[in-house]
Amino acid sequence: MSTPKRTSPNGKQRLLSFLRGLLDDPTHSNIIIWTNQTEQEFQLLKPHKVAELWGSATGNPQMNYDKMSRGLRYFYTNNTLKKMPGKNSGYQFLDGNVTSMDVKLLNFAGINTSPVNNFNVSSFIGANNRFFVTSSG
């Protein structure tokens, strides 16, 4: 009996969160590492092993790096991930790990996240890549 695939209404969040989880777990430093955590740059040292783990996490035993990289390429088009030039399996998160709910909370706090106002996610990133907002009053 095979494990049923888990579906997600937001595949982006699942794959990127999965990668961040591996990056933050030192037991996986032999397959994926931060090359520059401040700039959110990382490298898949063993991309086929990362894909195998992603397949296990999603219940897809046929997952391989070719399939996973196709999913990663989708994120290039919506500016949440960038392939690092000249680096094998090197990538950069561009989303700042801020979800749409985080943006709603920032807006609720009176912080205009519009690109027109030069909103910079990195200025709100704290420990564990979570954003924080401090009260001035």
Side-chain angles (χ1 to χ4, degrees):
M1 184 171 159
S2 67
T3 305
K5 288 185 183 179
R6 296 183 323 189
T7 59
S8 171
N10 187 351
K12 166 189 159 185
Q13 194 65 316
R14 289 193 57 214
L15 178 54
L16 296 185
S17 293
F18 173 80
L19 292 174
R20 286 182 189 277
L22 291 180
L23 285 161
D24 292 336
D25 182 351
T27 63
H28 291 103
S29 63
N30 63 327
I31 62 170
I32 184 171
I33 59 168
W34 288 110
T35 54
N36 184 337
Q37 190 169 5
T38 304
E39 296 295 323
Q40 298 289 289
E41 296 173 3
F42 65 98
Q43 184 172 9
L44 306 177
L45 299 175
K46 296 182 181 174
H48 296 284
K49 182 64 177 170
V50 173
E52 181 183 312
L53 290 173
W54 173 237
S56 294
T58 58
N60 182 358
Q62 274 69 48
M63 179 58 66
N64 58 38
Y65 181 64
D66 289 337
K67 292 176 184 177
M68 188 182 81
S69 65
R70 192 176 314 131
L72 291 172
R73 283 191 298 273
Y74 163 78
F75 301 121
Y76 305 167
T77 61
N78 63 8
N79 291 324
T80 54
L81 190 69
K82 173 179 151 185
K83 176 82 171 89
M84 298 304 293
K87 290 190 178 181
N88 282 344
S89 304
Y91 299 92
Q92 180 182 27
F93 291 114
L94 300 175
D95 65 352
N97 199 31
V98 175
T99 66
S100 60
M101 178 57 78
D102 295 336
V103 170
K104 288 177 187 174
L105 289 170
L106 289 169
N107 287 332
F108 180 76
I111 299 166
N112 189 339
T113 58
S114 162
V116 173
N117 292 316
N118 295 320
F119 173 72
N120 183 352
V121 169
S122 64
S123 64
F124 293 96
I125 301 298
N128 299 320
N129 293 323
R130 302 289 184 240
F131 81 93
F132 63 94
V133 177
T134 57
S135 172
S136 60

